[in-house]
Amino acid sequence: MKTFRALVMATLAAGVLFVDPVAARAGGPHVLPLDPATYDGLTATGPAYGAMGDPGNPASAGCGAAAPDPVPDGAPIVVKIGSAAPFTVGNVSAATWKNPPVTDPSWRLNFQGLMWMKPLARRAAQDDQQQSLAALVAQAVQFHQADPDPGTNASGWDEGTALRRLETENCLYNLTHAAELITGMSADAAVLLGKRYYGPPYAPVHNHGLMANLQLVRAGDLLGRSDWKATAVKRLTSEAPFAFSKAGLSFEQASGYQGVNAGLWGQAADVLAASPGATAAAATLRKAVNAAWTAFAWETEPDGRIVQIGDSEESTGRAAPRNTARTLRDDQTGTVIGRWSWTDPKTSYYTLRYGPVRRAHGHEDRAGGVTWSTLGSRVLVGPGKYTYDKNSPWYVYMISPASHNVAIPNGGAVKSGRTAKVKSAKVQTAAHSWTIVDDIYNTPHTRIVNVNRDARRLQVSDLFPKSTLWRQHWHLAPGWRLTSGKVGGTKMTFTNPAGRKLTVTTTGRIGGLVKGQTRPIQGWHFATFGSRTQAIDLVIRSYGRKATVTTFTVK
């Protein structure tokens, strides 16, 4: 039987065809979803960045889950990612690598990051299909031959793609020890060790830099590159104190990324604990990670799923049944969270956003943006996470103030560098009241939010004293259906499938109700990445120069 190296060399010699992708043959292609790490899904942080484990065991090679279908030796490996046309391993042209046929950045990240190889490689190794595994290794080598580093972010050579590609190459090397992979691994590592690195001194502390360092540690261990590992460990040690606020909240302004960062920094603590001279830093980091998981529990709604703040999916959260506190306030990140029980699924729960400028995975909800749930039903929600394509109108809608529960003065636009702060607060047994002031739209604004536990009521007052007209935007959770009231009035009622009744009254006037509109995009909710559901966007305009007070009550 040929050695694995001979198999790889033979595959390289026979496979450098560089023609356009061909159609799948009998049996169909391997239909693979986007790797969760493509969009930083919570499930991405375990298998991809955990401890290296046994290099001879496919289950612990850092490859993630195996593909559901076999990858038999001798058969063409045809792959289909999403709705794009399938391609065949070994038959991808240089032009396709440099300029993929799909413009969506998440698809390109998955494709050029070779992320689709991991499940196939694990399945091939699991079934001892050495020829197929060699073909995947050869394709990874061919990528670097066809699309070498241009020294810029072009052609899949940005830091985010390079770190995912190194992750895949770590998986392949862990399974095969193929020396042919080392040149490409070194090229990807060079991106993460240079000025394209997403972290200090080039950028604030961010999960991409953290992921890069964890992959550099893994690659350094695999290849005996102690210099790579030393640089990564030094970065982890210096950056860890800046990952979370004193209250344990991530500075990335998204509840979904709270869990991602807590999980990844927990793994960083394991790396530091195993690194000479870094045990004290590891112990300090573990305390910060524990606080981060507690904060993640705060961001878990009574229904057990997380509140959708910023780029976040409605994913499973974390319970904290022994926590007796009822409010969390963090001025560093601009977050207030309130709840009256940690065990009652029908308790009232709310969040309030203010504070620093938008960054990382945050949305434009800082002018006192609220979410609210009660009696087991979500009422006011954030829009969620749909796409990372900044040229998409769906992305513009997703992050814009109009898809959040905020007030906007007529003609107002968010001004760079403006912030919001808590002016006063009153936390009582049955009611919490918060006053937020800001000039985010270059004009003074005061918002008063009052949440009443017993009345199951949320009341919000907005005043722009220097404006003649402003509008409150409300984003209802999917499932609420209008049952009475009309545009131009002051009252509407809604019901949901759980049988709850929502009454909305206002001192302003109901200016519009939109659901599932595409031109322009309004009235949508994104519970999971890439999925969209129609939901009600309600607009209330001010009436006169007095504050507009809108009240939500659920029975």
Side-chain angles (χ1 to χ4, degrees):
M1 181 178 179
K2 293 181 178 180
T3 65
F4 190 84
R5 177 177 173 81
L7 279 172
V8 174
M9 295 304 292
T11 304
L12 279 166
V16 188
L17 302 178
F18 297 127
V19 298
D20 288 333
V22 299
R25 298 185 182 180
H30 292 273
V31 180
L32 301 176
L34 292 181
D35 188 309
T38 306
Y39 48 90
D40 299 323
L42 280 172
T43 58
T45 60
Y49 304 105
M52 284 208 322
D54 177 10
N57 179 5
S60 62
C63 300
D69 300 319
V71 191
D73 283 347
I77 305 174
V78 184
V79 181
K80 181 176 173 59
I81 306 172
S83 60
F87 59 92
T88 302
V89 170
N91 288 358
V92 182
S93 70
T96 299
W97 282 126
K98 292 179 180 180
N99 188 24
V102 177
T103 59
D104 179 75
S106 296
W107 193 96
R108 288 190 169 207
L109 179 65
N110 208 83
F111 179 67
Q112 293 173 314
L114 309 183
M115 302 170 75
W116 49 272
M117 286 190 181
K118 293 185 297 175
L120 298 172
R122 180 172 173 185
R123 181 59 189 258
Q126 177 180 298
D127 297 342
D128 196 29
Q129 301 299 291
Q130 295 298 312
Q131 292 179 32
S132 294
L133 193 55
L136 291 167
V137 169
Q139 181 66 93
V141 173
Q142 290 167 357
F143 167 85
H144 286 281
Q145 294 172 345
D147 185 16
D149 184 2
T152 68
N153 290 331
S155 306
W157 283 93
D158 57 283
E159 54 79 29
T161 308
L163 80 86
R164 267 66 176 230
R165 197 160 48 241
L166 182 59
E167 174 188 331
T168 296
E169 291 159 339
N170 284 339
C171 157
L172 293 173
Y173 191 90
N174 215 357
L175 292 173
T176 67
H177 290 283
E180 291 75 19
L181 290 166
I182 295 176
T183 298
M185 294 172 73
S186 299
D188 289 321
V191 173
L192 308 179
L193 292 165
K195 293 184 178 180
R196 279 171 278 181
Y197 170 64
Y198 202 133
Y202 313 108
V205 174
H206 186 269
N207 71 85
H208 274 207
L210 170 57
M211 291 189 288
N213 290 322
L214 290 173
Q215 291 306 327
L216 286 169
V217 167
R218 181 187 288 271
D221 283 339
L222 288 170
L223 302 183
R225 292 296 303 264
S226 59
D227 53 334
W228 294 359
K229 184 172 181 178
T231 295
V233 169
K234 183 177 180 180
R235 287 172 174 175
L236 292 173
T237 303
S238 64
E239 294 174 19
F242 303 99
F244 303 101
S245 70
K246 292 180 181 179
L249 284 162
S250 167
F251 289 106
E252 296 191 23
Q253 299 181 350
S255 51
Y257 281 85
Q258 179 73 25
V260 167
N261 278 287
L264 290 174
W265 280 105
Q267 292 173 40
D270 293 339
V271 169
L272 294 179
S275 302
T279 53
T284 300
L285 178 55
R286 289 196 198 284
K287 293 179 181 179
V289 169
N290 288 337
W293 281 123
T294 298
F296 190 60
W298 275 100
E299 292 181 325
T300 300
E301 296 223 22
D303 62 13
R305 294 163 291 157
I306 64 171
V307 61
Q308 288 180 269
I309 298 173
D311 293 341
S312 302
E313 299 178 272
E314 202 175 295
S315 53
T316 302
R318 173 171 288 211
R322 296 182 181 179
N323 199 323
T324 57
R326 295 292 177 261
T327 58
L328 176 130
R329 172 180 171 179
D330 182 17
D331 289 338
Q332 283 184 282
T333 62
T335 306
V336 165
I337 304 174
R339 63 193 311 150
W340 277 268
S341 173
W342 287 89
T343 57
D344 181 4
K346 295 183 179 180
T347 193
S348 294
Y349 172 93
Y350 69 92
T351 68
L352 179 60
R353 288 278 295 121
Y354 57 101
V357 297
R358 189 181 79 85
R359 59 152 293 198
H361 297 283
H363 292 174
E364 293 294 358
D365 58 353
R366 296 170 298 108
V370 297
T371 71
W372 181 53
S373 300
T374 193
L375 286 175
S377 293
R378 296 190 179 205
V379 183
L380 299 176
V381 296
K385 179 170 69 171
Y386 182 68
T387 181
Y388 284 136
D389 184 357
K390 295 183 179 181
N391 295 318
S392 167
W394 294 96
Y395 177 85
V396 174
Y397 169 78
M398 180 183 83
I399 70 166
S400 73
S403 67
H404 292 77
N405 304 302
V406 298
I408 307 172
N410 193 43
V414 176
K415 300 298 180 182
S416 176
R418 303 301 173 85
T419 62
K421 65 180 181 180
V422 174
K423 181 180 180 181
S424 64
K426 188 174 184 179
V427 178
Q428 300 172 300
T429 300
H432 300 171
S433 180
W434 303 88
T435 300
I436 305 295
V437 293
D438 71 85
D439 62 350
I440 288 174
Y441 298 98
N442 201 32
T443 188
H445 168 226
T446 299
R447 165 166 278 201
I448 302 173
V449 178
N450 187 285
V451 189
N452 189 288
R453 177 195 65 187
D454 299 335
R456 307 286 181 172
R457 184 178 67 222
L458 172 76
Q459 187 174 81
V460 181
S461 167
D462 284 297
L463 177 64
F464 292 86
K466 294 185 179 181
S467 300
T468 58
L469 176 65
W470 58 92
R471 293 175 177 84
Q472 294 176 328
H473 291 260
W474 304 109
H475 189 74
L476 301 188
W480 288 104
R481 179 176 62 88
L482 178 67
T483 52
S484 70
K486 61 182 180 179
V487 172
T490 60
K491 179 179 178 180
M492 279 185 170
T493 62
F494 305 83
T495 57
N496 71 1
R500 299 301 179 190
K501 178 182 178 181
L502 168 65
T503 301
V504 181
T505 60
T506 184
T507 61
R509 296 294 183 268
I510 298 170
L513 185 151
V514 180
K515 183 177 181 181
Q517 179 177 292
T518 58
R519 294 185 179 180
I521 295 171
Q522 286 180 288
W524 295 92
H525 184 74
F526 315 121
T528 58
F529 184 81
S531 70
R532 58 185 189 238
T533 303
Q534 294 184 4
I536 290 174
D537 280 354
L538 181 65
V539 179
I540 292 176
R541 58 179 172 81
S542 61
Y543 186 76
R545 298 295 294 270
K546 295 182 179 180
T548 300
V549 181
T550 299
T551 304
F552 300 82
T553 307
V554 174
K555 294 183 179 180

